[in-house]
Amino acid sequence: MACVVIVGSQWGDEGKGKVVDLLTEDARGIVRFQGGNNAGHTLVVGGEKFIFHLIPSGILHQGKACYIGNGVVVDPQVLLLEMDKLDKRGIPVGPEKLRISDRAHVIMPYHQAMDLAREKAKGKEAIGTTGRGIGPCYEDKSSRVGIRIIDLLEPDVLKAKVEANTKEKNFWLTQYFNEEPLDAEHIFKQYLEYGNLLRDYVGDVPAELNEIYSDGENLLFEGAQGIHLDIDHGTYPYVTSSNPVSGSVSSGAGVGITRIDDVLGIVKAYTTRVGGGPFPTELEDETGAWLGDKGQEFGATTGRPRRCGWLDTVVVRRSVMLAGITGLCVTKLDVLTGLAKLKICTAYKTPEGDVVDTIPASLERLAQCQPVYEEMDGWNEDITGARSLNDLPDNCRTYLDRMAELCGVDLSIVSVGPGRDQTIVLKNPFA
Ligand code: GDP
Ligand code: IMO
Ligand code: MG
């Protein structure tokens, strides 16, 4: 049996969904352990595109169970819509296929209202959140006033909590943010109904996962966001409100850290970021626009254009350290085809002229750091049909090898297109 964790090593959208779908073949359970429907994970299977926000990316496979762990914040409306969409495409999602932790926290309408109101009030200083209520939901969890999935199944508990929380949030919304109040009774009825619809899917996820593990079967954990969006380790405050690092599998799914065998870090062959915050290798020029266009870099959740730039190995090396990454999965290598020269950031230069390998905690200080680049020759050959390293042009091989060398981790998977089959598997962590 093996437990493998997939994490994003940059600022999200590295292609985690594609890799999870690919590795699901060898797993029995596929588990989300943090984040919520701020995530947008895209799969292309048999030419068909699927985008998942809450449902784990293993759902398209037969005979597998997908789990939403307690560390995830669940918007039941989004979840039910996602299930319905799959059903309409001939992929029914029954309670044997999808399990939801009774302890996961629920995103309520006032969370989304607070998220949007706070962002609006921040003006130019806005974080650029997805506006899905993620931060306010985690706030309530930490403040110990959150509503959990189990509460949706207990009408009296739900009613009392909704009334108390709506009252407080309405105070903030109307008195501080000048927004409209929300109706507690309406919310209560709606969420009670969601509870009824989800009842059969709710269970003790840690117990179910540990049983799979005890039976000697494989578990695959699907990280959301990226390590540099981590609330503790990212570019705070331009981060999300959960911990995308691998360590949160334990707190967010209830599977102990001693069970984890491998952590695969997904690395886009260049860098993107959506929303505000520092991005040292950002290209605000023609090349950045070219990458965005060729890589179709638009947010899978909000449709916003993603900011694009060169690969930053200071960022990835730090993720390797923070998440204990044991293998690299390089994605979107094909997007770089056609560029005459490629740059890789190997270090930062401080205003004092020192060349360093650290990301300062101070954003002011980080803004003063300049990326140090290594330049390499590009390639023009179409690589989307490559299925082994030997199929890649020499310059492409050199770029990949240098990536792995600078990140200090061996390559496990190389992705050369969005399709499930457009992949070179060098080392399957479940093998
Ligand atoms: P995630 O959030 O990490 O799962 O990534 P997203 O799904 O938000 O963004 C990755 C995008 O790149 C998706 O549209 C994928 O279909 C696409 N993609 C994944 N791997 C590759 C690849 O190797 N080449 C190309 N061209 N597209 C890819
Ligand atoms: P996946 O799983 C990219 C970003 C938002 C914003 C910041 C905070 O698809 O990689 P939030 O709504 O979480 O409070 O927003 O985090 N963000 C993501 N960026 N990919 C994601 O998920 C993201 N989830 C959140 O754009 O900058
Ligand atoms: Mg995404």
Side-chain angles (χ1 to χ4, degrees):
M1 85 283 278
C3 285
V4 174
V5 188
I6 302 296
V7 292
S9 65
Q10 293 152 317
W11 281 285
D13 302 326
E14 297 89 351
K16 299 174 290 294
K18 167 175 168 163
V19 176
V20 169
D21 168 62
L22 184 79
L23 294 178
T24 292
E25 190 68 36
D26 298 304
R28 174 70 211 297
I30 303 88
V31 193
R32 279 280 308 267
F33 55 93
Q34 47 72 227
N37 58 307
N38 46 352
H41 297 175
T42 315
L43 281 52
V44 179
V45 180
E48 267 195 82
K49 186 168 167 174
F50 298 83
I51 299 178
F52 298 116
H53 302 289
L54 275 169
I55 295 185
S57 300
I59 199 76
L60 300 182
H61 294 250
Q62 301 286 330
K64 314 285 177 179
C66 288
Y67 295 84
I68 295 179
N70 57 279
V72 176
V73 287
V74 179
D75 184 327
Q77 190 176 15
V78 172
L79 181 60
L80 286 162
L81 194 71
E82 215 160 79
M83 290 159 72
D84 190 51
K85 273 193 189 163
L86 276 173
D87 195 54
K88 290 203 170 90
R89 292 175 80 167
I91 304 156
V93 181
E96 73 298 336
K97 231 183 149 182
L98 181 68
R99 311 293 304 149
I100 308 164
S101 168
D102 46 12
R103 289 164 169 84
H105 279 250
V106 180
I107 299 182
M108 304 296 290
Y110 47 76
H111 291 138
Q112 199 176 3
M114 289 288 288
D115 191 359
L116 296 171
R118 201 174 277 151
E119 284 283 275
K120 192 164 117 191
K122 279 197 170 126
K124 274 207 228 128
E125 308 292 306
I127 289 165
T129 72
T130 58
R132 302 299 193 260
I134 306 295
C137 185
Y138 279 116
E139 280 173 42
D140 275 6
K141 176 179 180 175
S142 294
S143 303
R144 292 156 294 177
V145 297
I147 291 177
R148 299 187 298 168
I149 290 286
I150 189 69
D151 299 328
L152 301 183
L153 308 183
E154 297 180 350
D156 293 345
V157 176
L158 181 64
K159 194 170 175 51
K161 287 191 172 185
V162 168
E163 278 174 3
N165 287 355
T166 310
K167 193 171 165 193
E168 188 194 323
K169 290 334 186 250
N170 276 347
F171 176 80
W172 283 103
L173 287 169
T174 59
Q175 305 299 301
Y176 189 79
F177 290 115
N178 266 324
E179 299 288 342
E180 293 297 311
L182 297 168
D183 178 30
E185 184 62 19
H186 177 74
I187 297 176
F188 165 66
K189 285 190 180 141
Q190 194 180 20
Y191 280 69
L192 194 63
E193 175 61 10
Y194 292 149
N196 284 330
L197 292 168
L198 292 173
R199 184 178 300 274
D200 294 343
Y201 295 81
V202 178
D204 184 354
V205 166
E208 293 181 28
L209 294 178
N210 281 281
E211 197 179 315
I212 293 180
Y213 184 83
S214 301
D215 286 348
E217 302 218 54
N218 296 336
L219 291 171
L220 180 61
F221 295 90
E222 175 177 7
Q225 290 79 53
I227 286 166
H228 292 271
L229 286 172
D230 187 287
I231 182 99
D232 286 283
H233 298 291
T235 43
Y236 191 90
Y238 296 94
V239 292
T240 192
S241 298
S242 69
N243 290 108
V245 287
S246 51
S248 45
V249 160
S250 174
S251 55
V255 174
I257 48 173
T258 50
R259 306 286 190 247
I260 294 171
D261 300 284
D262 271 301
V263 180
L264 295 193
I266 316 299
V267 189
K268 202 177 272 191
Y270 47 100
T271 312
T272 61
R273 175 163 202 171
V274 59
F279 182 174
T281 61
E282 183 169 13
L283 290 166
E284 291 175 284
D285 60 6
E286 273 176 18
T287 309
W290 187 91
L291 284 171
D293 186 48
K294 179 119 188 278
Q296 284 300 293
E297 295 296 354
F298 296 93
T301 297
T302 58
R304 291 177 292 177
R306 296 171 181 151
R307 300 152 64 192
C308 298
W310 295 121
L311 177 70
D312 186 340
T313 61
V314 179
V315 160
V316 181
R317 269 198 302 278
R318 192 162 177 90
S319 295
V320 168
M321 174 183 88
L322 294 169
I325 289 170
T326 52
L328 284 192
C329 302
V330 175
T331 61
K332 305 195 93 161
L333 191 61
D334 54 299
V335 175
L336 298 180
T337 302
L339 285 171
K341 295 283 178 191
L342 302 170
K343 285 185 184 179
I344 299 184
C345 167
T346 57
Y348 296 157
K349 195 168 184 183
T350 68
E352 295 77 32
D354 298 323
V355 174
V356 298
D357 186 31
T358 50
I359 303 175
S362 155
L363 296 193
E364 284 69 28
R365 179 89 185 145
L366 179 55
Q368 293 167 348
C369 288
Q370 291 299 320
V372 177
Y373 287 115
E374 212 171 87
E375 196 173 77
M376 304 174 77
D377 290 328
W379 61 91
N380 283 315
E381 296 88 337
D382 178 4
I383 60 167
T384 54
R387 297 295 176 264
S388 88
L389 289 184
N390 292 333
D391 298 335
L392 297 174
D394 287 347
N395 287 350
C396 184
R397 283 287 294 269
T398 308
Y399 184 80
L400 264 183
D401 290 344
R402 187 66 181 136
M403 263 184 93
E405 187 179 26
L406 285 166
C407 298
V409 184
D410 287 343
L411 296 170
S412 289
I413 292 173
V414 179
S415 173
V416 292
R420 192 189 267 172
D421 57 322
Q422 291 178 299
T423 315
I424 302 170
V425 180
L426 300 166
K427 187 170 179 281
N428 182 335
F430 289 122

